[in-house]
Amino acid sequence: MTHSQLPTKPGPIGVFDSGYGGLTILHGIRQLLPQYDYLYLGDNARAPYGARSFEVVYEFTRQAVTRLFELGCHLVVLGCNTASAKALRSIQQNDLPHLDPNRRVLGVIRPTAEVIGSLTRSRHVGIFATEGTIKSESYNLEIKKLFPDIQVSGVACPFWAPLVEYNEADSPGADYFVKKRIDQLMRMDPDIDTVILGCTHYPILLPKIHKYIPRGIRIVSQGEYVADSLKRYFERHQDMEERCTKGGQVHYLTTENPEKFQEQAQIFLREPVEVENVTLG
């Protein structure tokens, strides 16, 4: 679909994630900006994205962004760290000029990097994320760009997202995997005083993380910071703000089984949701 065929009237804010984790981002945004309409798309059939190649993540993310544009969104938030790390820049630079130069796609890494300078005193920061996000070094690059004096250490946590997806976040088995990665990070740099949860699933593991993380370390969950960043974005870009409808409604789409999505969404949102199936690609 060319941009001349895309809907031009105002529409909802799109939020995309490979799975359910982006629901924590959506929740944070809705807490601060409840007046807008939102359209959430989870590519659950092809999740997780964490270990997939750059090319595949880019292609899947591009398909999802295009679909959200077709459904009337003028602004799409990639509520997925892996997509933000591996696909955001390519979509912004290569695809938006052709799809529609007036539409926007925003990620979750930059807003988190922007606040980190005011949160760390020791200037030593840790990151827990998927293998893909750690390998991309997106956090290191963004933080270094803004705060060259900050030391960044990252650890890939391949089992954390599946623990959440399979509703095992409260299980005794989760303790082993959470403690193992925390210990690994603290061995890498004992001076860390601030840790970023660089995957939107990880806030569900916060009770376990708090149990094993050394006392006094600040844990940064992304939802509130992404919400603040979006609010400031709208203040700077009034034209985009006016292209987002305000009815306080949320609609959910999944590439997987809607019943399964409803069940899982309860874990993240603690409220029932109506879901429709959608195909991508």
Side-chain angles (χ1 to χ4, degrees), residues 8-22:
T8 53
K9 61 180 195 291
I13 297 168
V15 178
F16 169 66
D17 185 50
S18 58
Y20 304 101

Side-chain angles (χ1 to χ4, degrees), residues 2 8 13 20 30-31 48 56 74 82 85 106-107 161 170 185-186 198 203 211 214 221 229 245 253-255 274-275:
T2 63
T8 53
I13 297 168
Y20 304 101
R30 283 179 67 203
Q31 295 287 102
V56 168
H74 291 264
T82 304
L106 307 175
D170 298 329
L185 182 66
M186 298 317 297
K211 187 172 168 183
S221 260
S229 180
T245 52
L253 301 171
T254 176
T255 55
E274 292 284 314
V275 198

Side-chain angles (χ1 to χ4, degrees), residues 236-247:
R236 294 194 311 273
H237 300 90
Q238 201 60 41
D239 57 325
M240 179 55 79
E241 196 278 336
E242 286 163 8
R243 275 184 269 157
C244 298
T245 52
K246 296 163 193 73

Side-chain angles (χ1 to χ4, degrees), residues 22 24 47-48 95 97 108 111 126 134 139 151 167 204 215 232 252 280:
T24 61
D95 297 299
V108 290
I134 295 295
Y139 273 101
Q151 294 294 310
N167 207 4
I204 307 296
R215 193 181 293 277
R232 291 197 307 274
Y252 298 90
L280 298 176

